[in-house]
PDB file of all heavy atoms in Angstrom:
ATOM      1  N   ILE A 335     -17.323  30.374 -26.064  1.00  0.00           N
ATOM      2  CA  ILE A 335     -16.077  30.747 -25.411  1.00  0.00           C
ATOM      3  C   ILE A 335     -16.134  32.182 -24.899  1.00  0.00           C
ATOM      4  O   ILE A 335     -15.700  32.472 -23.760  1.00  0.00           O
ATOM      5  CB  ILE A 335     -14.883  30.604 -26.387  1.00  0.00           C
ATOM      6  CG1 ILE A 335     -14.729  29.128 -26.803  1.00  0.00           C
ATOM      7  CG2 ILE A 335     -13.591  31.062 -25.762  1.00  0.00           C
ATOM      8  CD1 ILE A 335     -14.487  28.175 -25.662  1.00  0.00           C
ATOM      9  N   ASP A 336     -16.710  33.063 -25.684  1.00  0.00           N
ATOM     10  CA  ASP A 336     -16.852  34.470 -25.245  1.00  0.00           C
ATOM     11  C   ASP A 336     -17.707  34.543 -23.977  1.00  0.00           C
ATOM     12  O   ASP A 336     -17.405  35.301 -23.049  1.00  0.00           O
ATOM     13  CB  ASP A 336     -17.491  35.337 -26.364  1.00  0.00           C
ATOM     14  CG  ASP A 336     -16.555  35.525 -27.529  1.00  0.00           C
ATOM     15  OD1 ASP A 336     -15.334  35.277 -27.385  1.00  0.00           O
ATOM     16  OD2 ASP A 336     -17.036  35.925 -28.617  1.00  0.00           O
ATOM     17  N   PHE A 337     -18.792  33.787 -23.947  1.00  0.00           N
ATOM     18  CA  PHE A 337     -19.668  33.787 -22.775  1.00  0.00           C
ATOM     19  C   PHE A 337     -18.918  33.307 -21.554  1.00  0.00           C
ATOM     20  O   PHE A 337     -19.039  33.854 -20.433  1.00  0.00           O
ATOM     21  CB  PHE A 337     -20.916  32.931 -23.034  1.00  0.00           C
ATOM     22  CG  PHE A 337     -21.738  32.751 -21.824  1.00  0.00           C
ATOM     23  CD1 PHE A 337     -22.673  33.735 -21.449  1.00  0.00           C
ATOM     24  CD2 PHE A 337     -21.628  31.606 -21.034  1.00  0.00           C
ATOM     25  CE1 PHE A 337     -23.478  33.561 -20.310  1.00  0.00           C
ATOM     26  CE2 PHE A 337     -22.466  31.461 -19.911  1.00  0.00           C
ATOM     27  CZ  PHE A 337     -23.349  32.412 -19.553  1.00  0.00           C
ATOM     28  N   LEU A 338     -18.194  32.150 -21.691  1.00  0.00           N
ATOM     29  CA  LEU A 338     -17.471  31.590 -20.533  1.00  0.00           C
ATOM     30  C   LEU A 338     -16.365  32.492 -20.053  1.00  0.00           C
ATOM     31  O   LEU A 338     -15.893  32.331 -18.892  1.00  0.00           O
ATOM     32  CB  LEU A 338     -16.953  30.205 -20.926  1.00  0.00           C
ATOM     33  CG  LEU A 338     -17.992  29.164 -21.272  1.00  0.00           C
ATOM     34  CD1 LEU A 338     -17.329  27.864 -21.723  1.00  0.00           C
ATOM     35  CD2 LEU A 338     -18.923  28.885 -20.069  1.00  0.00           C
ATOM     36  N   ASN A 339     -15.916  33.415 -20.856  1.00  0.00           N
ATOM     37  CA  ASN A 339     -14.867  34.345 -20.444  1.00  0.00           C
ATOM     38  C   ASN A 339     -15.426  35.672 -19.990  1.00  0.00           C
ATOM     39  O   ASN A 339     -14.696  36.604 -19.637  1.00  0.00           O
ATOM     40  CB  ASN A 339     -13.906  34.599 -21.628  1.00  0.00           C
ATOM     41  CG  ASN A 339     -12.869  33.509 -21.737  1.00  0.00           C
ATOM     42  OD1 ASN A 339     -11.916  33.412 -20.973  1.00  0.00           O
ATOM     43  ND2 ASN A 339     -13.075  32.622 -22.711  1.00  0.00           N
ATOM     44  N   SER A 340     -16.762  35.792 -19.935  1.00  0.00           N
ATOM     45  CA  SER A 340     -17.391  37.031 -19.560  1.00  0.00           C
ATOM     46  C   SER A 340     -17.922  36.961 -18.119  1.00  0.00           C
ATOM     47  O   SER A 340     -17.884  35.906 -17.479  1.00  0.00           O
ATOM     48  CB  SER A 340     -18.559  37.366 -20.524  1.00  0.00           C
ATOM     49  OG  SER A 340     -19.657  36.543 -20.245  1.00  0.00           O
ATOM     50  N   THR A 341     -18.482  38.066 -17.640  1.00  0.00           N
ATOM     51  CA  THR A 341     -19.122  38.074 -16.346  1.00  0.00           C
ATOM     52  C   THR A 341     -20.650  38.259 -16.537  1.00  0.00           C
ATOM     53  O   THR A 341     -21.330  38.721 -15.626  1.00  0.00           O
ATOM     54  CB  THR A 341     -18.586  39.239 -15.483  1.00  0.00           C
ATOM     55  OG1 THR A 341     -18.792  40.491 -16.166  1.00  0.00           O
ATOM     56  CG2 THR A 341     -17.114  39.037 -15.170  1.00  0.00           C
ATOM     57  N   ASP A 342     -21.150  37.868 -17.692  1.00  0.00           N
ATOM     58  CA  ASP A 342     -22.566  37.987 -17.994  1.00  0.00           C
ATOM     59  C   ASP A 342     -23.357  37.073 -17.093  1.00  0.00           C
ATOM     60  O   ASP A 342     -23.144  35.839 -17.044  1.00  0.00           O
ATOM     61  CB  ASP A 342     -22.783  37.604 -19.489  1.00  0.00           C
ATOM     62  CG  ASP A 342     -24.148  37.990 -19.974  1.00  0.00           C
ATOM     63  OD1 ASP A 342     -25.043  38.208 -19.141  1.00  0.00           O
ATOM     64  OD2 ASP A 342     -24.330  38.083 -21.234  1.00  0.00           O
ATOM     65  N   ILE A 343     -24.342  37.617 -16.376  1.00  0.00           N
ATOM     66  CA  ILE A 343     -25.114  36.799 -15.429  1.00  0.00           C
ATOM     67  C   ILE A 343     -26.265  36.060 -16.097  1.00  0.00           C
ATOM     68  O   ILE A 343     -26.862  35.198 -15.507  1.00  0.00           O
ATOM     69  CB  ILE A 343     -25.678  37.669 -14.300  1.00  0.00           C
ATOM     70  CG1 ILE A 343     -26.704  38.671 -14.842  1.00  0.00           C
ATOM     71  CG2 ILE A 343     -24.549  38.348 -13.530  1.00  0.00           C
ATOM     72  CD1 ILE A 343     -27.515  39.327 -13.779  1.00  0.00           C
ATOM     73  N   ARG A 344     -26.540  36.412 -17.327  1.00  0.00           N
ATOM     74  CA  ARG A 344     -27.647  35.725 -18.024  1.00  0.00           C
ATOM     75  C   ARG A 344     -27.237  34.336 -18.436  1.00  0.00           C
ATOM     76  O   ARG A 344     -26.048  34.072 -18.728  1.00  0.00           O
ATOM     77  CB  ARG A 344     -28.057  36.517 -19.275  1.00  0.00           C
ATOM     78  CG  ARG A 344     -28.694  37.879 -18.959  1.00  0.00           C
ATOM     79  CD  ARG A 344     -28.862  38.685 -20.210  1.00  0.00           C
ATOM     80  NE  ARG A 344     -27.554  38.929 -20.864  1.00  0.00           N
ATOM     81  CZ  ARG A 344     -27.441  39.544 -22.009  1.00  0.00           C
ATOM     82  NH1 ARG A 344     -28.496  39.921 -22.707  1.00  0.00           N
ATOM     83  NH2 ARG A 344     -26.244  39.750 -22.522  1.00  0.00           N
ATOM     84  N   ALA A 345     -28.173  33.433 -18.458  1.00  0.00           N
ATOM     85  CA  ALA A 345     -27.891  32.083 -18.894  1.00  0.00           C
ATOM     86  C   ALA A 345     -27.558  32.047 -20.384  1.00  0.00           C
ATOM     87  O   ALA A 345     -28.098  32.815 -21.158  1.00  0.00           O
ATOM     88  CB  ALA A 345     -29.083  31.166 -18.616  1.00  0.00           C
ATOM     89  N   LEU A 346     -26.651  31.174 -20.745  1.00  0.00           N
ATOM     90  CA  LEU A 346     -26.295  31.001 -22.137  1.00  0.00           C
ATOM     91  C   LEU A 346     -27.470  30.369 -22.876  1.00  0.00           C
ATOM     92  O   LEU A 346     -27.986  29.310 -22.500  1.00  0.00           O
ATOM     93  CB  LEU A 346     -25.064  30.105 -22.250  1.00  0.00           C
ATOM     94  CG  LEU A 346     -24.602  29.724 -23.660  1.00  0.00           C
ATOM     95  CD1 LEU A 346     -24.160  30.985 -24.445  1.00  0.00           C
ATOM     96  CD2 LEU A 346     -23.476  28.708 -23.592  1.00  0.00           C
ATOM     97  N   ALA A 347     -27.913  31.015 -23.943  1.00  0.00           N
ATOM     98  CA  ALA A 347     -29.033  30.489 -24.733  1.00  0.00           C
ATOM     99  C   ALA A 347     -28.681  29.089 -25.251  1.00  0.00           C
ATOM    100  O   ALA A 347     -27.582  28.873 -25.779  1.00  0.00           O
ATOM    101  CB  ALA A 347     -29.374  31.437 -25.871  1.00  0.00           C
ATOM    102  N   SER A 348     -29.597  28.186 -25.111  1.00  0.00           N
ATOM    103  CA  SER A 348     -29.464  26.781 -25.645  1.00  0.00           C
ATOM    104  C   SER A 348     -28.200  26.084 -25.087  1.00  0.00           C
ATOM    105  O   SER A 348     -27.601  25.284 -25.742  1.00  0.00           O
ATOM    106  CB  SER A 348     -29.385  26.820 -27.179  1.00  0.00           C
ATOM    107  OG  SER A 348     -30.485  27.448 -27.741  1.00  0.00           O
ATOM    108  N   LYS A 349     -27.888  26.370 -23.819  1.00  0.00           N
ATOM    109  CA  LYS A 349     -26.710  25.761 -23.219  1.00  0.00           C
ATOM    110  C   LYS A 349     -26.735  24.239 -23.305  1.00  0.00           C
ATOM    111  O   LYS A 349     -25.779  23.601 -23.749  1.00  0.00           O
ATOM    112  CB  LYS A 349     -26.591  26.206 -21.774  1.00  0.00           C
ATOM    113  CG  LYS A 349     -25.518  25.482 -20.974  1.00  0.00           C
ATOM    114  CD  LYS A 349     -25.549  25.868 -19.487  1.00  0.00           C
ATOM    115  CE  LYS A 349     -24.623  25.001 -18.673  1.00  0.00           C
ATOM    116  NZ  LYS A 349     -24.687  25.334 -17.236  1.00  0.00           N
TER     117      LYS A 349
END
Side-chain angles (χ1 to χ4, degrees):
I335 298 299
D336 290 344
F337 172 82
L338 296 176
N339 279 284
S340 73
T341 58
D342 193 341
I343 66 167
R344 293 171 299 176
L346 176 64
S348 304
K349 172 186 171 182

